[in-house]
Amino acid sequence: MAVVITLVLSIYQRMTGPTYPQKVTVEWNGDSVKVKLPRSGVQHDEMVALKGVPSDVKAQIHYRRYPTHDEYTTKEFGRNDGVWQAALPVQPVGGKLQYYITVDGKDYPADEPVVIRFRNDVPAGILIPHILLMFAAMLFAVYTFMLVITRREYSKWLKITVATLFVGGFIFGPLVQHAAFGPWWTGFPYGTDLTDNKTLLSFLFFLAALVTLKWKHNRWVVALAVLFMIAIFSIPHSAYGSEYDYNNQELSTGR
């Protein structure tokens, strides 16, 4: 049950985050197809592909630097290996582009353009341990909560949760942040990165639960720490993070 709950929370966080591709339904002549518009790119031109759109349909991409008041640049999609493709030009680390596509005279997304942020590629040797440890911390936290509500011994799993969260969030987390954008920490007091800040807040709650382990009402503190962790980790990942300031030509931590 703990594994299922953790998987659901992880999938939800991933799919609602600002780096998950945005899906739009493109229509032409009575036909339609779902395409994915990327919202995260590394240090090379990012290709936008319109798989399933036939060759006789006209397609364009419009983009500009974000957040700026630049005029949109318009490019025609080209056919490559039977697929419509267009390149979004690479931006400085933390730089963003705002873009939308036009297919058969209709704009997508119709409500608001997509924003894509560029970063450095993160080595798998850093990224994979970070992801696994953060997943494990959530899993151990949920399992600890289940032990608490069933009135079973939970102190060992609370300690494991705290240790895993610390290593995943405060050792591998800064390593990933540094590899992707440069800074080691962009949460409080240096910036407003929600990923760093929610990790910090969650750790403080669990630290309070660990410090009060001998208290007779510690179960309630542990339960609160776990519920708080679930609540804040439901906040989309990577929101309000590092962003390149085109006016000052420097990376901002979102302060």
Side-chain angles (χ1 to χ4, degrees):
M1 186 179 295
V3 171
V4 171
I5 293 173
T6 304
L7 283 172
V8 170
L9 290 171
S10 300
I11 293 171
Y12 171 79
Q13 185 191 66
R14 168 63 178 161
M15 294 186 67
T16 57
T19 61
Y20 193 77
Q22 183 167 337
K23 296 179 180 179
V24 298
T25 301
V26 174
E27 301 176 345
W28 71 94
N29 298 330
D31 293 323
S32 65
V33 67
K34 286 187 176 181
V35 299
K36 295 181 179 180
L37 303 179
R39 295 196 290 175
S40 179
V42 293
Q43 287 300 284
H44 56 71
D45 290 354
E46 183 67 24
M47 299 303 298
V48 178
L50 306 181
K51 296 180 180 179
V53 178
S55 59
D56 60 343
V57 176
K58 184 178 181 180
Q60 297 174 314
I61 190 167
H62 319 271
Y63 63 86
R64 67 180 179 184
R65 298 181 303 174
Y66 179 87
T68 70
H69 297 290
D70 296 349
E71 295 293 328
Y72 278 99
T73 298
T74 299
K75 291 173 59 176
E76 300 288 336
F77 275 85
R79 296 291 286 184
N80 187 13
D81 294 330
V83 177
W84 284 117
Q85 292 185 348
L88 291 171
V90 63
Q91 300 297 298
V93 172
K96 297 179 180 180
L97 291 177
Q98 187 177 47
Y99 74 96
Y100 65 97
I101 61 174
T102 301
V103 178
D104 198 27
K106 298 180 181 179
D107 296 335
Y108 303 92
D111 51 352
E112 186 176 352
V114 179
V115 174
I116 180 173
R117 180 173 66 162
F118 288 80
R119 56 173 175 79
N120 291 320
D121 196 15
V122 180
I126 298 174
L127 184 61
I128 292 177
H130 169 66
I131 294 174
L132 291 178
L133 285 165
M134 296 306 292
F135 179 88
M138 176 65 76
L139 174 63
F140 297 149
V142 172
Y143 184 63
T144 302
F145 180 77
M146 295 173 66
L147 294 176
V148 167
I149 62 177
T150 55
R151 295 192 170 276
R152 297 166 63 186
E153 174 56 37
Y154 60 85
S155 60
K156 180 182 76 172
W157 289 100
L158 173 62
K159 294 173 183 177
I160 293 174
T161 300
V162 174
T164 308
L165 181 59
F166 177 79
V167 176
F170 296 97
I171 295 179
F172 281 96
L175 288 173
V176 170
Q177 179 73 248
H178 177 68
F181 298 106
W184 293 92
W185 181 263
T186 56
F188 179 84
Y190 301 107
T192 58
D193 190 327
L194 287 186
T195 301
D196 286 348
N197 282 330
K198 67 185 182 182
T199 302
L200 175 61
L201 288 172
S202 183
F203 182 75
L204 291 176
F205 266 75
F206 273 101
L207 198 60
L210 189 61
V211 170
T212 60
L213 189 58
K214 300 300 182 180
W215 188 37
K216 64 178 181 179
H217 299 301
N218 178 254
R219 289 179 179 272
W220 297 104
V221 182
V222 175
L224 179 62
V226 176
L227 292 175
F228 181 79
M229 182 185 199
I230 292 174
I232 65 172
F233 272 74
S234 297
I235 298 173
H237 197 66
S238 299
Y240 296 99
S242 299
E243 180 179 293
Y244 186 79
D245 188 332
Y246 287 103
N247 291 325
N248 297 322
Q249 296 186 350
E250 63 181 12
L251 186 69
S252 169
T253 56
R255 196 175 206 176

Short mmCIF file of all heavy atoms in Angstrom, two decimals, residues 134-163:
data_model
loop_
_atom_site.label_atom_id
_atom_site.label_comp_id
_atom_site.label_asym_id
_atom_site.label_seq_id
_atom_site.Cartn_x
_atom_site.Cartn_y
_atom_site.Cartn_z
N MET A 134 14.94 10.38 -3.13
CA MET A 134 13.74 11.17 -2.81
C MET A 134 12.49 10.29 -2.88
O MET A 134 11.56 10.44 -2.07
CB MET A 134 13.62 12.36 -3.76
CG MET A 134 14.75 13.38 -3.63
SD MET A 134 14.98 13.98 -1.94
CE MET A 134 13.47 14.92 -1.70
N PHE A 135 12.47 9.38 -3.83
CA PHE A 135 11.36 8.43 -3.91
C PHE A 135 11.35 7.54 -2.67
O PHE A 135 10.29 7.29 -2.08
CB PHE A 135 11.52 7.56 -5.18
CG PHE A 135 10.43 6.53 -5.35
CD1 PHE A 135 9.25 6.84 -6.01
CD2 PHE A 135 10.59 5.25 -4.86
CE1 PHE A 135 8.25 5.90 -6.18
CE2 PHE A 135 9.59 4.29 -5.01
CZ PHE A 135 8.43 4.62 -5.68
N ALA A 136 12.54 7.08 -2.26
CA ALA A 136 12.64 6.22 -1.07
C ALA A 136 12.22 6.98 0.18
O ALA A 136 11.56 6.42 1.07
CB ALA A 136 14.07 5.70 -0.93
N ALA A 137 12.59 8.26 0.29
CA ALA A 137 12.21 9.06 1.46
C ALA A 137 10.69 9.15 1.57
O ALA A 137 10.13 9.01 2.67
CB ALA A 137 12.83 10.44 1.37
N MET A 138 10.02 9.37 0.44
CA MET A 138 8.56 9.43 0.44
C MET A 138 7.98 8.06 0.81
O MET A 138 7.03 7.97 1.61
CB MET A 138 8.05 9.86 -0.93
CG MET A 138 6.53 9.85 -1.07
SD MET A 138 5.70 11.05 -0.01
CE MET A 138 6.05 12.56 -0.93
N LEU A 139 8.55 7.00 0.27
CA LEU A 139 8.08 5.65 0.56
C LEU A 139 8.22 5.33 2.04
O LEU A 139 7.28 4.83 2.68
CB LEU A 139 8.86 4.64 -0.28
CG LEU A 139 8.59 3.16 0.00
CD1 LEU A 139 7.14 2.81 -0.31
CD2 LEU A 139 9.54 2.28 -0.81
N PHE A 140 9.39 5.61 2.61
CA PHE A 140 9.62 5.33 4.02
C PHE A 140 8.72 6.19 4.91
O PHE A 140 8.28 5.75 5.98
CB PHE A 140 11.09 5.57 4.38
CG PHE A 140 12.04 4.65 3.65
CD1 PHE A 140 13.32 5.07 3.32
CD2 PHE A 140 11.65 3.37 3.29
CE1 PHE A 140 14.19 4.23 2.66
CE2 PHE A 140 12.52 2.52 2.62
CZ PHE A 140 13.80 2.95 2.30
N ALA A 141 8.47 7.44 4.49
CA ALA A 141 7.61 8.33 5.26
C ALA A 141 6.17 7.78 5.30
O ALA A 141 5.53 7.76 6.36
CB ALA A 141 7.62 9.72 4.66
N VAL A 142 5.67 7.35 4.14
CA VAL A 142 4.32 6.80 4.08
C VAL A 142 4.23 5.52 4.92
O VAL A 142 3.25 5.30 5.65
CB VAL A 142 3.92 6.52 2.61
CG1 VAL A 142 2.58 5.76 2.55
CG2 VAL A 142 3.82 7.82 1.83
N TYR A 143 5.27 4.69 4.84
CA TYR A 143 5.28 3.45 5.62
C TYR A 143 5.31 3.76 7.12
O TYR A 143 4.62 3.12 7.92
CB TYR A 143 6.48 2.60 5.23
CG TYR A 143 6.52 1.26 5.92
CD1 TYR A 143 5.51 0.31 5.71
CD2 TYR A 143 7.54 0.93 6.81
CE1 TYR A 143 5.54 -0.92 6.34
CE2 TYR A 143 7.58 -0.30 7.45
CZ TYR A 143 6.57 -1.22 7.21
OH TYR A 143 6.59 -2.44 7.84
N THR A 144 6.10 4.77 7.51
CA THR A 144 6.15 5.19 8.91
C THR A 144 4.77 5.65 9.38
O THR A 144 4.33 5.33 10.50
CB THR A 144 7.17 6.33 9.10
OG1 THR A 144 8.45 5.90 8.65
CG2 THR A 144 7.26 6.75 10.55
N PHE A 145 4.08 6.40 8.52
CA PHE A 145 2.73 6.87 8.86
C PHE A 145 1.78 5.69 9.08
O PHE A 145 0.96 5.71 10.00
CB PHE A 145 2.21 7.77 7.74
CG PHE A 145 0.83 8.30 7.97
CD1 PHE A 145 0.62 9.34 8.86
CD2 PHE A 145 -0.27 7.76 7.31
CE1 PHE A 145 -0.66 9.84 9.09
CE2 PHE A 145 -1.55 8.25 7.54
CZ PHE A 145 -1.74 9.29 8.42
N MET A 146 1.91 4.66 8.26
CA MET A 146 1.05 3.49 8.40
C MET A 146 1.35 2.76 9.71
O MET A 146 0.44 2.23 10.36
CB MET A 146 1.25 2.56 7.19
CG MET A 146 0.78 3.17 5.88
SD MET A 146 1.18 2.16 4.44
CE MET A 146 0.15 0.74 4.75
N LEU A 147 2.61 2.73 10.11
CA LEU A 147 2.96 2.13 11.40
C LEU A 147 2.40 2.96 12.55
O LEU A 147 1.97 2.41 13.57
CB LEU A 147 4.48 2.03 11.53
CG LEU A 147 5.19 1.08 10.57
CD1 LEU A 147 6.70 1.16 10.75
CD2 LEU A 147 4.71 -0.35 10.78
N VAL A 148 2.40 4.28 12.39
CA VAL A 148 1.88 5.16 13.43
C VAL A 148 0.38 4.93 13.63
O VAL A 148 -0.09 4.77 14.77
CB VAL A 148 2.16 6.64 13.07
CG1 VAL A 148 1.35 7.57 13.97
CG2 VAL A 148 3.64 6.95 13.21
N ILE A 149 -0.38 4.93 12.56
CA ILE A 149 -1.84 4.82 12.70
C ILE A 149 -2.28 3.42 13.10
O ILE A 149 -3.40 3.25 13.61
CB ILE A 149 -2.56 5.25 11.40
CG1 ILE A 149 -2.18 4.32 10.23
CG2 ILE A 149 -2.24 6.69 11.05
CD1 ILE A 149 -2.92 4.64 8.95
N THR A 150 -1.42 2.42 12.91
CA THR A 150 -1.75 1.07 13.36
C THR A 150 -1.12 0.77 14.71
O THR A 150 -1.15 -0.38 15.17
CB THR A 150 -1.29 0.02 12.32
OG1 THR A 150 0.12 0.20 12.06
CG2 THR A 150 -2.07 0.15 11.03
N ARG A 151 -0.52 1.82 15.32
CA ARG A 151 0.07 1.74 16.66
C ARG A 151 1.14 0.64 16.75
O ARG A 151 1.16 -0.15 17.70
CB ARG A 151 -1.01 1.53 17.72
CG ARG A 151 -1.95 2.73 17.84
CD ARG A 151 -2.81 2.65 19.07
NE ARG A 151 -3.53 3.91 19.26
CZ ARG A 151 -3.02 4.97 19.87
NH1 ARG A 151 -1.78 4.92 20.34
NH2 ARG A 151 -3.74 6.08 20.00
N ARG A 152 2.02 0.61 15.79
CA ARG A 152 3.17 -0.30 15.81
C ARG A 152 4.44 0.51 15.98
O ARG A 152 4.44 1.72 15.83
CB ARG A 152 3.20 -1.12 14.51
CG ARG A 152 1.97 -2.02 14.35
CD ARG A 152 1.85 -2.55 12.93
NE ARG A 152 2.96 -3.40 12.57
CZ ARG A 152 3.15 -3.90 11.35
NH1 ARG A 152 2.28 -3.61 10.38
NH2 ARG A 152 4.19 -4.67 11.09
N GLU A 153 5.53 -0.16 16.27
CA GLU A 153 6.81 0.51 16.49
C GLU A 153 7.29 1.16 15.19
O GLU A 153 7.36 0.50 14.14
CB GLU A 153 7.86 -0.49 16.99
CG GLU A 153 9.27 0.05 17.11
CD GLU A 153 9.36 1.28 18.00
OE1 GLU A 153 8.64 1.34 19.02
OE2 GLU A 153 10.15 2.18 17.66
N TYR A 154 7.62 2.43 15.25
CA TYR A 154 7.94 3.18 14.04
C TYR A 154 9.26 3.94 14.11
O TYR A 154 9.69 4.54 13.13
CB TYR A 154 6.83 4.20 13.74
CG TYR A 154 6.63 5.21 14.85
CD1 TYR A 154 7.41 6.37 14.93
CD2 TYR A 154 5.68 5.00 15.85
CE1 TYR A 154 7.24 7.29 15.96
CE2 TYR A 154 5.51 5.91 16.88
CZ TYR A 154 6.28 7.05 16.92
OH TYR A 154 6.12 7.95 17.94
N SER A 155 9.93 3.97 15.29
CA SER A 155 11.10 4.82 15.48
C SER A 155 12.22 4.52 14.48
O SER A 155 12.87 5.43 13.96
CB SER A 155 11.62 4.70 16.91
OG SER A 155 11.99 3.36 17.20
N LYS A 156 12.45 3.24 14.19
CA LYS A 156 13.51 2.87 13.25
C LYS A 156 13.23 3.45 11.86
O LYS A 156 14.13 4.02 11.21
CB LYS A 156 13.64 1.35 13.15
CG LYS A 156 14.74 0.91 12.17
CD LYS A 156 14.82 -0.60 12.06
CE LYS A 156 13.69 -1.14 11.21
NZ LYS A 156 13.86 -2.60 10.92
N TRP A 157 11.98 3.36 11.42
CA TRP A 157 11.65 3.84 10.08
C TRP A 157 11.60 5.36 10.01
O TRP A 157 11.85 5.96 8.96
CB TRP A 157 10.32 3.23 9.62
CG TRP A 157 10.48 1.77 9.33
CD1 TRP A 157 10.16 0.72 10.13
CD2 TRP A 157 11.09 1.22 8.17
NE1 TRP A 157 10.51 -0.45 9.54
CE2 TRP A 157 11.09 -0.19 8.33
CE3 TRP A 157 11.63 1.75 7.00
CZ2 TRP A 157 11.60 -1.05 7.37
CZ3 TRP A 157 12.15 0.90 6.05
CH2 TRP A 157 12.12 -0.48 6.23
N LEU A 158 11.32 5.99 11.14
CA LEU A 158 11.41 7.45 11.18
C LEU A 158 12.85 7.90 10.98
O LEU A 158 13.12 8.83 10.21
CB LEU A 158 10.88 7.97 12.52
CG LEU A 158 11.07 9.47 12.78
CD1 LEU A 158 10.32 10.30 11.74
CD2 LEU A 158 10.61 9.82 14.20
N LYS A 159 13.78 7.24 11.64
CA LYS A 159 15.20 7.57 11.50
C LYS A 159 15.68 7.32 10.07
O LYS A 159 16.45 8.12 9.51
CB LYS A 159 16.03 6.76 12.49
CG LYS A 159 15.75 7.10 13.95
CD LYS A 159 16.47 6.16 14.89
CE LYS A 159 16.14 6.46 16.34
NZ LYS A 159 16.78 5.50 17.28
N ILE A 160 15.23 6.22 9.47
CA ILE A 160 15.61 5.92 8.09
C ILE A 160 15.06 6.98 7.14
O ILE A 160 15.75 7.41 6.20
CB ILE A 160 15.11 4.52 7.69
CG1 ILE A 160 15.86 3.44 8.49
CG2 ILE A 160 15.27 4.29 6.19
CD1 ILE A 160 15.34 2.04 8.26
N THR A 161 13.83 7.43 7.39
CA THR A 161 13.22 8.48 6.57
C THR A 161 14.03 9.76 6.62
O THR A 161 14.32 10.38 5.59
CB THR A 161 11.78 8.75 7.02
OG1 THR A 161 11.00 7.57 6.90
CG2 THR A 161 11.14 9.86 6.18
N VAL A 162 14.38 10.18 7.83
CA VAL A 162 15.15 11.42 8.01
C VAL A 162 16.51 11.31 7.31
O VAL A 162 16.94 12.25 6.62
CB VAL A 162 15.34 11.73 9.51
CG1 VAL A 162 16.26 12.93 9.68
CG2 VAL A 162 13.99 12.01 10.16
N ALA A 163 17.19 10.19 7.48
CA ALA A 163 18.51 10.01 6.87
C ALA A 163 18.42 10.02 5.35
O ALA A 163 19.23 10.65 4.66
CB ALA A 163 19.13 8.69 7.36
#
